[in-house]
Amino acid sequence: MTRVPVTPEMLRWACERSGRGMADLAARVPQLPAWVRGEKKPTLKQLEKLAAATRTPFGYLFLREPPEERLPVPDFRTVWGASRTRPSPDLLDTLYAMQRRQDWLRECLLESDVEPLPFAGSARLTDDPASVGHEMRRVLGLDDGWAAGVSTWRDAVRELRRTIEQAGVMAVINGVVGNSTSRKLSVEEFRGFALADAYAPLIFVNGADAKSAQMFTLAHELAHIWLGTEGVSGFASLFPGGSEVEDWCNAAAAELLVPSEELAPRWHEVRRGPRPFETLARAFKVSPVVAARRALDLDLVDGDVFRNFYRRYVKRDRATGASSTGGDFYNNQNTRVGELFASHVLRAAMEGRIGFKEAYDLTGLRGGTFQKYARRLGVNLP
């Protein structure tokens, strides 16, 4: 039985990178502690098992020293000067998968001589974010009071995502890596990210988050597309001080979702009620924190009122927890893959421009699952 040389340093790095403790991993790979102590060496098959358990690319384990893994896009998750830890394998794998989708769709659109999206990268940090938020609303075709006419936050998220995709932006919402329910994405690590491009911009929202929070993340990442600035977001609060880019995108997103001209008259209707910010949140389908922050920005409440509410709400929200990532598998594909991207992949497969294996890899769906999802979109594959 052939055994392979792997340094204890690389084994420890793989364990740390996975975010799982040595004891937890040793339950799956019992020989691991002996390898780390240098008492034994693993076989190739044993090492493959460890790579799978730690979500580590197999070839990395043969390096002499750990590589420095960096996010492939700017990191805007710094809040009040506190930097984040190394990116998890789940975040990295999600980012790489979305970049592959974007690269493929960009090439597909360029081959079809499609014109670039006029709004992508059209804004500047020197622009008034409220004016840009108003323009975003116009491009999406969202009427005044549209959110109040939608019964639930889930329906509001679905409608906002639909209008974003109709404008030409891939909008993905997923709470796991691909379709792997054993690899849940962490809201504490990131809320979303944007991949800017003039032809195939993409925004990703962490679907493990609450629906009201997903609404704001969709709008925030869309503001990144308008600005032409890609990156990972993890806004822990709506207080200014994260970065100039994040503060700008927060302000544009807030105007998109809670327009100042709609908020002021509603505030006068609800301000004397028992829970005014929650009432506003239901009307605009945002979180109560977003509603409260907008009231503060428009001088409808003072800073003490906002800060006191914020502290109480965050404490209550943490106790409640995030929303479930379950549901019907094929309905989930509408948000995990999206009709905008899926329709191009299906058309390319039907026309023979790509093979079905590539179509499976691009969508994360296989065989009969891919066929059934295609039928859900009204496409009968041969």
Side-chain angles (χ1 to χ4, degrees):
M1 186 178 296
T2 304
R3 297 189 177 273
V4 293
V6 181
T7 67
E9 182 183 10
M10 290 305 301
L11 294 171
R12 285 191 291 268
W13 171 79
C15 295
E16 293 171 2
R17 177 183 184 273
S18 72
R20 302 172 64 181
M22 184 72 70
D24 181 28
L25 289 167
R28 292 191 59 184
V29 188
Q31 307 89 343
L32 177 60
W35 301 341
V36 172
R37 292 193 298 268
E39 298 171 356
K40 295 182 178 180
K41 294 186 183 300
T43 65
L44 277 174
K45 187 174 182 179
Q46 290 171 334
L47 201 59
E48 288 174 351
K49 187 175 181 180
L50 177 66
T54 58
R55 319 289 187 194
T56 303
F58 183 62
Y60 280 19
L61 295 174
F62 295 95
L63 297 175
R64 292 188 176 184
E65 58 184 32
E68 184 179 355
E69 289 186 299
R70 296 181 179 179
L71 288 171
V73 295
D75 189 352
F76 292 111
R77 295 174 300 159
T78 299
V79 180
W80 299 320
S83 60
R84 302 286 178 170
T85 57
R86 69 157 66 104
S88 71
D90 293 339
L91 172 55
L92 288 172
D93 288 349
T94 298
L95 267 164
Y96 296 148
M98 294 304 107
Q99 286 183 320
R100 287 194 296 273
R101 285 189 190 180
Q102 183 184 59
D103 291 343
W104 183 89
L105 185 57
R106 180 197 298 115
E107 291 301 316
C108 180
L109 294 173
L110 286 173
E111 289 175 1
S112 301
D113 294 325
V114 173
E115 293 295 321
L117 297 172
F119 57 79
S122 63
R124 300 291 180 269
L125 281 174
T126 53
D127 294 339
D128 175 30
S131 298
V132 174
H134 184 77
E135 174 65 9
M136 291 163 62
R137 193 178 179 91
R138 185 194 67 78
V139 170
L140 296 181
L142 295 174
D143 298 327
D144 292 347
W146 75 272
V150 179
S151 58
T152 68
W153 270 270
R154 183 180 298 276
D155 291 337
V157 169
R158 184 183 299 115
E159 178 63 14
L160 181 59
R161 195 193 70 82
R162 184 189 65 80
T163 62
I164 290 172
E165 289 227 322
Q166 282 189 334
V169 179
M170 287 179 283
V172 181
I173 304 176
N174 199 352
V176 299
V177 180
N179 284 312
S180 178
T181 55
S182 64
R183 299 185 65 183
K184 294 183 179 179
L185 299 177
S186 169
V187 176
E188 293 183 356
E189 182 176 25
F190 80 107
R191 293 290 180 91
F193 58 78
L195 301 179
D197 186 74
Y199 293 89
L202 183 148
I203 60 180
F204 184 95
V205 174
N206 190 336
D209 215 346
K211 290 298 177 184
S212 58
Q214 291 178 28
M215 281 287 287
F216 189 81
T217 305
L218 274 170
H220 176 97
E221 302 305 339
L222 186 62
H224 270 279
I225 299 303
W226 242 262
L227 199 58
T229 305
E230 60 186 9
V232 178
S233 302
F235 31 94
S237 75
L238 295 179
F239 287 105
S243 71
E244 185 180 13
V245 170
E246 290 296 85
D247 290 347
W248 190 95
C249 290
N250 279 346
E255 180 62 29
L256 166 62
L257 296 176
V258 191
S260 55
E261 59 187 26
E262 290 186 40
L263 177 61
R266 280 189 177 271
W267 174 251
H268 292 296
E269 295 174 5
V270 305
R271 62 178 180 172
R272 300 192 186 281
R275 304 179 75 176
F277 299 133
E278 284 84 347
T279 302
L280 288 176
R282 285 193 296 273
F284 291 100
K285 299 302 183 296
V286 295
S287 77
V289 170
V290 171
R293 177 71 212 192
R294 286 297 280 157
L296 175 65
D297 290 339
L298 300 177
D299 295 323
L300 300 175
V301 298
D302 61 31
D304 289 338
V305 170
F306 173 76
R307 282 186 288 271
N308 289 336
F309 170 78
Y310 178 81
R311 283 191 290 267
R312 292 195 307 271
Y313 180 82
V314 169
K315 184 178 180 180
R316 185 172 71 245
D317 190 49
R318 286 174 178 169
T320 303
S323 63
S324 169
T325 58
D328 178 81
F329 176 83
Y330 291 98
N331 286 337
N332 284 340
Q333 300 316 306
N334 290 327
T335 58
R336 292 177 181 176
V337 180
E339 189 170 351
L340 172 61
F341 179 72
S343 62
H344 282 280
V345 174
L346 289 169
R347 190 177 304 116
M350 290 181 67
E351 295 174 355
R353 289 184 283 118
I354 63 172
F356 277 97
K357 183 181 183 303
E358 184 177 358
Y360 297 162
D361 291 340
L362 286 168
T363 60
L365 302 173
R366 296 285 184 271
T369 304
F370 181 82
Q371 302 272 347
K372 187 172 181 179
Y373 178 60
R375 288 195 295 272
R376 287 282 185 106
L377 297 180
V379 178
N380 291 314
L381 295 173

